[in-house]
Structure formats: structure tokens, C-alpha cells
Amino acid sequence: MVSAAAQAGVVAACVVLFVPMGLAGWHLSRNKVLFFSGALFVSLAVGVHLSPYLPSVPHLLATSFFVPSPGAASASSSGSSCVPFLHRVSWSDAASAAAAANGLGGGTARTWSWAPSLASACGFARLSRDDASLLLNGSWVMVAGDSQARLLVLALLRLLLDPAAAAAAEPELFRRHSNYRAAVPARGISVDFVWAPFESNLTRLLREDLRLAPRVPDVLVLGSGLWHMLHVTDAASYGDALASVAGAAKSLRSPLPVPPPHMFWLGPPHLVNHMLNTDAKRAHMNSTMLRAYDREVDQRGLVRGDGGPFLLLDVGKLTQGCGQQCTSDGMHFDGEVYDAVLHIMLNALVIESQQRI
């Protein structure tokens, strides 16, 4: 005869199992990035409720279904404390043949990695195609900006698609000053690149296009500055424009009945002035102007360190670490740099998804 306490435990477990699953069915149709963290939460919650009555259930869950990597527990427990360390990558020389297929640059091939101790402590990892597809399952990823943003999209396509499909996508992706759309139907992933070289383009995208859309992207990456530096060359004006972008992004987040997009800001690259290919670029895009533009990114309420909505993807730090051997024109860098940017973003998504549970 089953005791009343056991019956109550089973009922509680069923409530914990089926109510979240029903809610998740609706919610996950809007934001699939949270799926795996949510599934883990439901499984563990059922185990907790059943443990006083069916001791073998949590043991079965722990031993058969959840085998974390060495750093997974640390990443989950430390949460956002690991985010500041995402950019702590080291660079080393790589086999030139392997990197030639992954780059744009004109020097010694380079590769990046996290220190093993850091990767273990925070659970950082370079994702495989299957891992990235599972993480982004059912998600809409939008990347808007200039050529730096386009190179990030290329890195994403190279990770999600097989090599032949990624290579076939490049001519359309690099069509001059145009938008691009791709899909991974097997995973329900949509990827949009929006050509938006000026900050006013980004503000318009946020205030008009996305505010009127039936849904917003699950992952939103924005970045600009190079065109402003070349054609306007006024850091204060750039800062004012960034403040408008930040305000538009905050207004996009506030009224939504579902979790807001994961937002990232793609910082400007380190510029190798003597390698820039026009006199105008060498005159306007110098180290003094670049530092002034970087300060505006940090001080205009755009990035989270300054109370803004965007997590900074510090392309400048990564390109400087790779060095001038990773670029052929002083501005656009090898694909390995944008692969590092991409994996920093994906690992940040894992951390943020855990925090939203």
C-alpha cells in the first residue's frame, strides 16, 4: 500500500514535471536558446521531489543522464563571474596550411585558445558544429553592422554549415553593401546579416524595423564605428550616436512579455595604420582617433560595464593579440580572430541561459 506521504510526493513531482513542460512548450517556441538549461532544471527538480520516496531516481539521473564536463559545475555556480574572463585568450603560431583555409590575412598563421586552467574553472569550450547547433536550436540570430559584422557571420556559417555549404554561401554574403539571410533547416536556425555601417542605421533598425516586427531576434549582435571614423572623424559625435543606439536597445527590451534578446556589441578592431590601403584611411583612422572612439564605447551607456544593454565583444583586444601578421590591409583580420569572437559570444550565451532559468 502506498503511503499518503509517497502519494503526495508523486503528485508534487508530476506538478513540477508537467506544468513547466507545458509552459516551456509555449515559451521555447519563442526562445530556443534556453531549451537545454530548462530541460536540466526540470529533470533535477523532479529528482529532488522524488528523492525522499524513490531514492534510486536521483541516482539514476545523476549517473545515467547528466555527466558534466570538468568545468561545467564551476561555470554554473560562478555564473556571471566568469564572463570577464572570456576574452583572456592566448595566441600561438598554427600550421599555415590549416589556417590558410580559415583566414584573410597575409602573414604567419595564428590560432587561439583559453588557458586549460581557465577553461576548466569556467567551463569555457570551443564548440563543435553539433554543440553550436544544439545551443542555437530554433533561434533567430541577427548580426547588423559593417564589414566586421559580416566577418562574424562568416565565422558563424563556417561553424554551423559543412565546409562546402559555407564556401557556397560566401559570394552572396560578401555582395557589396547588401543584406544576407541563411538558414539551418535541420535545427530551425535563422541567420540574418543587415548592412548597417552607421550608428543611425542601427538606431533605425531597433526603433522601427524590430519594434514593429512580430518577434525579435533571440540573439542580436550590433557593431559600427569604422565608417564614422573614416567619413566623420569626430569621437564626440560618435558617442552621441552610440547613446541613441543604447536608448533604442533599452526600449526594445522593456515592453516584451518574453525574455529580451541576448545583446552583444561588436567593438572596433585594432587598426594597423601603415597597412591601411588609402591615404584617407591612414589620415583619419590613426591610433589617437581609435582610442577616442574606444572611450566612447565604454562611456556612453552602451555596454554593460557602463550600465548598457550590450555585452562587449572586444574585437580590438583580440585583433591586437593576434598581431599585424593576422591582417593584410590593417583593418580586416584572419578568420581565426572572428572564430574567437564567435566562441566568446557562444560561451556567454551558455552562461546567460543558465542565469535566466
Side-chain angles (χ1 to χ4, degrees):
M1 188 81 173
V2 179
S3 68
Q7 292 177 354
V10 172
V11 170
C14 289
V15 170
V16 171
L17 174 63
F18 293 113
V19 171
M21 285 183 66
L23 294 174
W26 174 83
H27 176 69
L28 293 177
S29 67
R30 307 297 300 271
N31 191 338
K32 298 294 179 64
V33 172
L34 299 178
F35 173 77
F36 295 98
S37 296
L40 176 61
F41 168 77
V42 172
S43 300
L44 293 179
V46 171
V48 168
H49 280 79
L50 286 177
S51 59
Y53 315 105
L54 300 172
S56 63
V57 172
H59 175 73
L60 180 62
L61 287 171
T63 57
S64 301
F65 296 103
F66 182 52
V67 183
S69 62
S74 299
S76 178
S77 60
S78 59
S80 60
S81 64
C82 280
V83 171
F85 300 106
L86 281 166
H87 288 83
R88 288 195 179 181
V89 306
S90 57
W91 292 90
S92 59
D93 292 343
S96 58
N102 192 38
L104 301 169
T108 303
R110 304 273 278 168
T111 189
W112 67 275
S113 63
W114 283 294
S117 59
L118 180 59
S120 176
C122 286
F124 298 159
R126 294 183 74 148
L127 276 65
S128 67
R129 178 172 297 116
D130 287 342
D131 291 335
S133 297
L134 288 171
L135 175 65
L136 297 174
N137 182 51
S139 296
W140 176 19
V141 180
M142 176 178 284
V143 183
D146 53 24
S147 55
Q148 300 295 312
R150 198 189 299 270
L151 289 168
L152 178 61
V153 172
L154 177 60
L156 178 58
L157 295 180
R158 284 175 169 172
L159 182 59
L160 293 177
L161 303 177
D162 64 73
E170 284 193 43
E172 187 69 21
L173 173 62
F174 282 89
R175 182 172 294 177
R176 185 175 176 82
H177 301 172
S178 62
N179 299 341
Y180 175 80
R181 172 168 292 178
V184 185
R187 291 293 183 184
I189 302 171
S190 299
V191 179
D192 274 304
F193 169 71
V194 179
W195 173 248
F198 287 105
E199 300 66 45
S200 58
N201 304 136
L202 298 176
T203 301
R204 187 179 305 112
L205 174 70
L206 293 168
R207 290 198 184 279
E208 299 178 12
D209 299 342
L210 292 182
R211 284 293 298 272
L212 298 176
R215 63 172 289 200
V216 295
D218 301 296
V219 181
L220 181 62
V221 186
L222 306 181
S224 65
L226 295 179
W227 278 53
H228 194 287
M229 191 184 304
L230 176 61
H231 298 288
V232 181
T233 323
D234 183 339
S237 170
Y238 176 63
D240 291 340
L242 291 181
S244 296
V245 174
K250 290 175 182 177
S251 67
L252 179 67
R253 289 164 60 103
S254 57
L256 298 177
V258 295
H262 298 269
M263 295 189 180
F264 298 90
W265 183 262
L266 198 61
H270 174 70
L271 299 174
V272 185
N273 185 264
H274 72 273
M275 297 180 71
L276 298 177
N277 55 20
T278 69
D279 291 338
K281 289 178 181 177
R282 289 188 290 272
H284 296 161
M285 307 177 83
N286 54 60
S287 59
T288 300
M289 190 58 62
L290 179 61
R291 285 194 296 270
Y293 272 62
D294 283 339
R295 283 195 297 271
E296 297 298 328
V297 171
D298 293 335
Q299 299 173 4
R300 288 301 190 123
L302 181 77
V303 295
R304 293 183 191 172
D306 192 40
F310 294 95
L311 180 63
L312 177 64
L313 299 174
D314 195 345
V315 181
K317 183 174 183 177
L318 296 170
T319 50
Q320 191 165 20
C322 194
Q324 72 178 50
Q325 64 264 50
C326 296
T327 179
S328 59
D329 64 2
M331 180 185 299
H332 303 101
F333 285 74
D334 285 354
E336 189 73 3
V337 169
Y338 303 97
D339 180 73
V341 176
L342 174 64
H343 278 85
I344 288 170
M345 184 187 82
L346 294 176
N347 279 265
L349 280 176
V350 172
I351 295 172
E352 289 191 350
S353 298
Q354 292 170 343
Q355 292 172 340
R356 288 188 179 186
I357 296 300

